[in-house]
Amino acid sequence: MRTIIKFSLALLCLLGSGPLWAQATERQLTAEPGITGTLLLGALVLAVCIVLAIVKISAAFSAISKKEKTDERKELKHLIENLDEEELQALAGKSRTEFSLEGHELSGITVAKDEKGLIRQVENEVHSSPMVSRKKVAISKMNLNPAFSKLILAFIGSAAFWLIFGTLIGQYLGMKFVWPELDNVAWLSFGRLRPVHTNAVFWGWSSMAMLGLGHLVVSRTCNTAIYSLKAGWTALILINSSVAIGSLLLMNGVNNGGGEYREYIWPVTALFAAGLIICLWNFYQTIARRNTKEIYVSNWYILGACAWTLVLVTIAYLPFYQNGLGETIIQGYYMHQGVGMWFMTFTLGLVYYFLPQSLNKPIYSYSLGVLAFWTQMLFYTLIGTHHFVFSPIPWSLQTVAIVFSMGMLIPVIAGTTNFLLTFRGSWRKLKDSYVLPFLLVGIVFYFVGSAQGTMQAFRFTNVIWHFTDFNVAHSHMTMYGIIAFFLWGGIYYLVPRITGRAPKEVYVGAHFWMAFVGLIIYMFSMMIGGTLKGVSWLEGDSFIKSVTLMAPYWLWRAIGGTMMFLSHVIFCVNLWRMSQPVSEAPDLTDQLILKYEKKVLIS
């Protein structure tokens, strides 16, 4: 173990400012479990990326080898077909007529047909891209009310718009770290655009995608129609209006002050809350009218997330205690639970539906899901103030936050174990699925990001990493690595089953790898740079020296962010292709069956 730690620290030295890091290595950092745990968790992410890359490269070589053998067989077949009668007799040693067949000994004289639709895929001999797995066409359209399908697609389409809008601003802000003189316009300043970026991707992209998928999950797991489509459209309009108005006000300097993720003024947030209240009422009424005996665990998570978030918003905007340290404590409470009790809880509920559906098997343990739900409800409520360790807030409150952060390992380990054991025996399905790679990466980051958050809550690691770029890495590790990948997995599962159209496999592969690799570059550059910045402060160096120190890491941040943004553009292209009416592009399954029938007729 000590050898691994030394190697990791040496690697960090090579990547960054070696002498600065070396001043604080063996003496302090290697003895801290938070540092050691973070290094191991980072190594786990790299290992998953390397394993997936090796699988793809191996598949590419196998495809090349298979193609060579196919070419040899074709050449031999062509040679035999062009032999004359004497050469054939010499080659066979017998008369050719002894082997003649009429061609319908097994099938009869009728043309082969597949009227029942039993054939779902016809293998093509040539595949264009060996680096992207050829997926099985498994598009069985859901029997949904067309009006309900439009509502779901409207939520997902709105989410995609806010994803592009929010991350385009994030990309621009990342470039400003490298070129700070990029503009001199007030409404494009970093202080105004940064909250536009975070709030657009939080309340626009993630929340809209979650609610869109949530409507489907609640309806399907209750085996009944959603209670009110009109309520769904009303919620859609209210939430879109909230994000649009809030973004315009933030650009013009109208905000709620310094509360992170609550920069929208209260009337704007009230629009979002009203939309969420309508969704909660709609979900609750649907579950109350369910045609199943039990309430599936997904609905526990979804209802819990909606109810908790409304409580959080109310507490965060009540003016009675928004002063001094009271505001600081409320900020920690709101900020962290906004991520954990809204985004994390809701998306976990989605995974409990989409993962078993994608694997065509039940979740490994319903009991583990219930354990993870209730322990999340218990431990997540008091961990927000670990962001204010060594601040003037009561020491006991800081300690409680650290202890409850440790307790969060229970739901994280329970949930991760449940998901991975559901995969058990079905790992081979990864190569044939668009959905499972996204869900698997989300599961890995769910464990890594959550466990790393626990490590970061320790006092020693907190004093190094707080107020540095390391927190930027951690937030992207969770909100992007977990939430975004889970949502993409759900969208790639659902939309083709609504429209009957599958995305192009090469585009999905490009989306996955650019988002995954871009996140790794972004995350590790900010983790390494943020750690070095924190150590420089502890060593007493000037602030401007830490700014100079971060320059190369901000460049890598911009590179990784560019890859991530381009992956979002590809995702939107995929979503547009999947959302086209079936009349304009027939079902891919029908196309393949038609090709097969034509092939039989020709032969």
Side-chain angles (χ1 to χ4, degrees):
M1 178 63 70
R2 191 172 182 81
T3 303
I4 296 175
I5 296 172
K6 287 182 177 180
F7 175 78
S8 302
L9 293 173
L11 179 61
L12 293 177
C13 271
L14 292 175
L15 292 173
S17 302
L20 178 61
W21 180 267
Q23 294 175 12
T25 52
E26 297 266 359
R27 184 177 70 257
Q28 294 176 338
L29 301 185
T30 56
E32 292 300 323
I35 300 291
T36 304
T38 299
L39 287 171
L40 294 177
L41 291 171
L44 175 61
V45 173
L46 289 176
V48 171
C49 183
I50 292 170
V51 168
L52 288 174
I54 290 175
V55 169
K56 293 297 182 182
I57 293 172
S58 175
F61 281 112
S62 298
I64 293 172
S65 176
K66 183 177 180 180
K67 185 177 184 303
E68 291 177 351
K69 292 181 180 179
T70 302
D71 291 342
E72 291 177 0
R73 288 195 295 268
K74 286 182 178 179
E75 185 179 351
L76 179 60
K77 179 181 178 181
H78 178 73
L79 178 63
I80 294 174
E81 287 176 346
N82 287 278
L83 292 176
D84 56 29
E85 189 70 25
E86 293 181 359
E87 291 174 327
L88 282 172
Q89 290 182 5
L91 181 63
K94 297 182 180 180
S95 173
R96 184 178 181 181
T97 57
E98 297 179 30
F99 299 96
S100 61
L101 297 174
E102 296 182 8
H104 53 75
E105 281 75 12
L106 298 179
S107 63
I109 60 175
T110 58
V111 177
K113 295 183 178 180
D114 184 35
E115 296 177 352
K116 295 183 178 180
L118 299 178
I119 299 175
R120 293 297 180 190
Q121 179 183 11
V122 179
E123 292 287 347
N124 295 329
E125 293 183 356
V126 180
H127 177 49
S128 59
S129 176
M131 284 299 291
V132 180
S133 299
R134 189 173 190 277
K135 310 300 180 184
K136 291 181 179 178
V137 179
I139 307 175
S140 53
K141 289 185 66 175
M142 291 182 174
N143 185 23
L144 297 179
N145 179 356
F148 185 42
S149 299
K150 289 181 180 178
L151 174 63
I152 295 173
L153 291 176
F155 268 101
I156 295 174
S158 299
F161 169 80
W162 291 118
L163 174 66
I164 291 295
F165 173 79
T167 54
L168 177 62
I169 292 176
Q171 171 69 12
Y172 186 70
L173 294 175
M175 294 169 63
K176 278 197 167 189
F177 279 96
V178 183
W179 301 288
E181 71 285 354
L182 203 55
D183 70 74
N184 294 304
V185 182
W187 60 274
L188 291 179
S189 62
F190 188 92
R192 294 192 184 182
L193 286 186
R194 199 269 178 177
V196 174
H197 161 66
T198 55
N199 285 278
V201 295
F202 270 42
W203 315 120
W205 148 243
S206 298
S207 297
M208 297 292 279
M210 284 159 42
L211 290 170
L213 297 174
H215 277 79
L216 182 280
V217 171
V218 170
S219 175
R220 299 288 285 191
T221 55
C222 293
N223 195 25
T224 187
I226 201 73
Y227 177 70
S228 172
L229 292 176
K230 185 177 180 181
W233 284 105
T234 303
L236 175 74
I237 294 170
L238 287 172
I239 295 175
N240 269 322
S241 300
S242 172
V243 182
I245 296 171
S247 298
L248 291 173
L249 290 177
L250 289 177
M251 286 185 179
N252 285 278
V254 181
N255 56 65
N256 189 46
E260 192 173 20
Y261 310 144
R262 54 172 176 161
E263 290 91 350
Y264 289 165
I265 58 176
W266 73 263
V268 174
T269 302
L271 290 175
F272 183 93
L276 189 54
I277 290 172
I278 293 173
C279 286
L280 174 59
W281 172 77
N282 209 5
F283 294 157
Y284 176 82
Q285 292 294 342
T286 304
I287 295 171
R289 289 164 171 77
R290 67 189 182 279
N291 290 318
T292 58
K293 181 178 179 181
E294 301 290 340
I295 299 177
Y296 186 61
V297 67
S298 290
N299 297 319
W300 290 41
Y301 280 90
I302 290 172
L303 286 184
C306 293
W308 262 111
T309 304
L310 290 170
V311 173
L312 285 174
V313 170
T314 303
I315 293 175
Y317 278 85
L318 285 177
F320 313 129
Y321 31 69
Q322 301 293 337
N323 52 74
L325 289 178
E327 184 178 13
T328 301
I329 294 172
I330 293 300
Q331 172 59 25
Y333 174 79
Y334 167 82
M335 174 182 61
H336 213 99
Q337 287 203 68
V339 174
M341 303 303 287
W342 172 234
F343 298 108
M344 194 71 71
T345 302
F346 201 113
T347 50
L348 287 174
L350 298 178
V351 175
Y352 273 100
Y353 174 81
F354 287 113
L355 180 61
Q357 286 289 323
S358 302
L359 292 171
N360 195 26
K361 61 194 297 190
I363 197 72
Y364 173 75
S365 172
Y366 196 87
S367 298
L368 275 177
V370 174
L371 171 66
F373 173 79
W374 285 112
T375 50
Q376 173 125 343
M377 296 296 109
L378 171 65
F379 289 112
Y380 222 113
T381 54
L382 288 175
I383 69 175
T385 46
H386 71 212
H387 285 277
F388 301 107
V389 174
F390 299 115
S391 72
I393 68 174
W395 190 261
S396 59
L397 187 57
Q398 300 177 36
T399 303
V400 167
I402 296 172
V403 172
F404 273 58
S405 298
M406 288 294 297
M408 273 303 298
L409 290 175
I410 297 175
V412 170
I413 293 174
T416 305
T417 302
N418 210 6
F419 296 146
L420 292 180
L421 288 179
T422 303
F423 262 107
R424 186 176 60 177
S426 303
W427 293 103
R428 66 187 183 281
K429 293 186 178 181
L430 278 170
K431 65 183 180 66
D432 296 325
S433 172
Y434 295 114
V435 178
L436 292 175
F438 286 95
L439 295 182
L440 178 61
V441 170
I443 292 167
V444 171
F445 273 110
Y446 172 54
F447 174 75
V448 170
S450 302
Q452 194 279 317
T454 297
M455 305 292 180
Q456 195 169 339
F458 297 156
R459 284 191 169 93
F460 180 86
T461 49
N462 204 290
V463 76
I464 294 178
W465 288 331
H466 197 42
F467 300 121
T468 72
D469 297 74
F470 194 101
N471 284 315
V472 180
H474 176 73
S475 63
H476 283 77
M477 188 191 307
T478 51
M479 282 302 300
Y480 196 89
I482 305 173
I483 307 302
F485 273 83
F486 278 159
L487 293 177
W488 284 325
I491 290 170
Y492 279 123
Y493 175 89
L494 177 59
V495 175
R497 286 164 175 78
I498 292 179
T499 64
R501 295 201 61 181
K504 282 193 174 182
E505 57 211 25
V506 67
Y507 288 174
V508 179
H511 171 203
F512 174 81
W513 283 108
M514 291 187 71
F516 190 19
V517 176
L519 174 60
I520 290 176
I521 294 173
Y522 188 108
M523 184 179 73
F524 276 93
S525 63
M526 292 292 94
M527 289 172 69
I528 296 171
T531 304
L532 295 175
K533 177 189 284 189
V535 172
S536 75
W537 291 347
L538 290 177
E539 293 291 334
D541 293 329
S542 64
F543 178 78
I544 192 63
K545 184 173 181 180
S546 68
V547 174
T548 305
L549 174 90
M550 283 299 301
Y553 302 103
W554 285 333
L555 176 61
W556 281 107
R557 166 187 173 144
I559 294 172
T562 301
M563 294 180 65
M564 293 156 69
F565 175 72
L566 291 176
S567 77
H568 305 161
V569 175
I570 297 172
F571 162 70
C572 288
V573 172
N574 290 337
L575 183 62
W576 179 80
R577 292 180 61 87
M578 291 187 292
S579 302
Q580 296 304 299
V582 178
S583 58
E584 296 180 10
D587 191 307
L588 292 183
T589 304
D590 294 338
Q591 291 182 4
L592 291 172
I593 294 173
L594 183 61
K595 288 181 180 179
Y596 176 79
E597 292 178 346
K598 288 181 178 179
K599 184 177 180 181
V600 172
L601 288 171
I602 293 173
S603 63

